């Protein structure tokens, strides 16, 4: 695996440093092992600069074991040689020095958090399910997070965490086999039970970790959802939140609450009105047939916070988009009526396998995704699919205009929409549930968009000859019981637009026979 970083000249691997690591034992004193000092192997005469010191077990009385993360390595360190600083021996190497590297494959997960007191220690932490977890610090140095060479009680069989989260200043990792581990508080590289790290057995494969408001860590597995309550290792309490509601791997995301896709559909985890507890609810009843057909194809999910969307992607290139207009969800109401969420669908030229949503260096929300054909893209940028047209459409429900038993002669439809540029639309009208006894009406509409007001709109971002609110009229012909519309666009230049309203003109005719 290769890591890139953004620069003024584009994406580059320059400037990134993969740290080396060497295990040690028989540690006598920790004082001299500080970042920036030089360590020397007595037998090999190899030298390196210490970047991180991680104590994994024992004490600094000759029983300490752990590892050093190193930079600027010169020479080849040997196993079982004395490690010295300034001519004094402080530990013995328990391995040679190995340069950390990312294995091929994996599904990368990241968090950004400052575990320390300084304003300059805001760092990234990740995992990939095929190798050890890692830290990326403010100097672009990548340091592995390693488990002890000699396995301790509760230590996972392999150091390949699949899921990551920060909760109450602990770094949590979810491992295969249902093992949940957290670091020492404020020490994300240190998994030492004596110093405060801990391990939990979930009893099922973990599929997602999310820290929730109210000091609860949500642990989703394939069959159920649990919550870790409490503040520290002294009062952790694991509770079952959803006995039959779990989530598929990499579909668990946090928006206004926790959403995931499981065998029942799209579920959310909402706080109840009583005792501040939580309950799971299925909220995809309106599109359940689609969910049932697609759920086995799910690859990943992401949220878009600016538009309040939860998106699930599938291996056939499609995606299901859920929009939550309420901003929060009441679990008590969800048991008595259909949820107030809306659904849409997307289709991409290639299947999306990986996604990540975060803020960039300027605080703006950005989303990246990787496709099955080997490319990485920035989401919601531009108006085309790598030069190809984007097709979009919206089909509205059939409207009987408040009189289902009366036939109507339809004359005209006025459309209002919000668009930043000119846009061409096809406007299709179907009568009487698209009965074969009626004809569809298709109108080609060219709409001028991007209007604004002087001294109000942003300069060079509006058009002088455009209306403040874009509109167009479509002629309608025919008589029917009801009418439904399809709005269609295919373009490589159109920008996102919003349908704001539609005014329908018609004449009542006779009663339906």
């Amino acid at each position: 695996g290769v890591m890139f970083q953004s620069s003024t000249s584009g994406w580059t691997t320059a400037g990134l440093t993969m740290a080396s690591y060497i295990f040690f034992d028989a540690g006598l004193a920790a004082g001299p092992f500080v970042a920036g000092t030089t360590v020397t192997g007595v037998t090999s005469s190899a030298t390196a600069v210490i970047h991180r010191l991680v104590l994994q077990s024992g004490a600094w009385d000759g029983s300490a074991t752990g590892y050093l993360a190193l930079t600027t390595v010169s020479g080849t360190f040997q196993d079982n040689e004395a490690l010295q600083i300034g001519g004094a021996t402080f530990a013995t190497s328990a391995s040679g020095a190995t340069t950390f590297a990312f294995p091929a494959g994996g599904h990368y997960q990241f968090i950004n958090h400052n575990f320390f007191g300084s304003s300059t220690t805001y760092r990234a932490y990740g995992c990939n399910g095929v190798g050890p977890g890692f830290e990326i610090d403010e100097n672009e140095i990548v340091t592995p997070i390693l488990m002890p060479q000699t396995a301790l009680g509760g230590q996972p069989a392999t150091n390949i965490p699949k899921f990551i989260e920060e909760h109450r200043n602990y770094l949590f990792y979810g491992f295969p086999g249902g093992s949940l581990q957290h670091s020492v508080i404020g020490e994300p590289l240190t998994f030492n039970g004596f110093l405060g790290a801990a391990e939990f057995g979930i009893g099922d494969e973990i599929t997602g970790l999310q820290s929730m408001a109210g000091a609860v860590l949500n642990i989703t597995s394939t069959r159920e959802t649990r919550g870790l309550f409490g503040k520290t290792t002294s009062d952790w309490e694991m509770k079952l939140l959803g006995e039959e509601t779990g989530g598929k791997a990499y579909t668990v995301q946090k928006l206004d609450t926790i959403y995931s896709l499981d065998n029942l559909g799209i579920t959310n985890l909402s706080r109840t009105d009583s005792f501040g507890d939580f309950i799971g609810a299925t909220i995809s009843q309106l599109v359940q047939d689609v969910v049932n057909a697609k759920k086995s194809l799910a690859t990943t999910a992401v949220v878009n916070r600016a538009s309040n969307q939860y998106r699930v992607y599938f291996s056939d290139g499609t995606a299901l988009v859920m929009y939550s207009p309420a901003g929060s969800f009441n679990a008590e109401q969800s048991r008595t009526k259909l949820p107030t969420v809306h659904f849409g669908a997307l289709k991409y030229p290639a299947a999306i396998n990986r996604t990540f949503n975060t803020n960039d260096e300027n605080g703006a929300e950005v989303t990246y995704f990787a496709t099955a054909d080997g490319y990485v893209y920035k989401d919601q940028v531009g108006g085309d699919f790598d030069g190809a047209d984007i097709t979009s459409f919206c089909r509205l429900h059939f409207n009987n205009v408040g009189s289902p038993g009366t036939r109507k002669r339809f004359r005209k439809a006025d459309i209002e929409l919000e668009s930043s540029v000119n846009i061409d639309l096809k406007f299709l009208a179907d009568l009487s549930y698209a009965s074969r006894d009626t004809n569809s009406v298709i109108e080609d509409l060219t709409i001028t968009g991007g209007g604004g007001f002087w001294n109000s709109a942003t300069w060079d971002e509006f058009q002088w000859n455009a209306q403040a609110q874009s509109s167009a009229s479509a002629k309608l012909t025919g008589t029917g019981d009801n009418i439904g519309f399809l709005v269609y666009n295919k373009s490589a230049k159109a920008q996102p637009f919003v349908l704001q309203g539609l005014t329908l003109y018609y004449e009542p005719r006779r009663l339906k026979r």
Side-chain angles (χ1 to χ4, degrees), residues 112-152:
N112 303 314
H113 185 69
N114 190 346
F115 286 93
F116 310 98
S118 170
S119 62
T120 62
T121 51
Y122 186 71
R123 297 169 180 169
Y125 299 85
C127 64
N128 52 34
V130 292
F134 52 89
E135 173 194 78
I136 309 171
D137 70 8
E138 59 278 6
N139 297 311
E140 289 81 45
I141 299 175
V142 184
T143 302
I145 300 176
L146 304 176
M147 296 295 167
Q149 276 186 309
T150 303
L152 303 177

Side-chain angles (χ1 to χ4, degrees), residues 177-209:
S179 173
L180 177 67
Q181 309 259 344
H182 73 67
S183 70
V184 176
I185 188 169
E187 294 290 342
L189 273 64
T190 305
F191 286 74
N192 184 324
F194 180 77
L195 298 178
E199 184 267 344
F200 302 88
I202 302 302
D204 193 15
E205 287 294 334
I206 296 172
T207 57
L209 302 175

Side-chain angles (χ1 to χ4, degrees), residues 92 257 321 369:
T92 302
T257 183
V321 180
F369 61 83

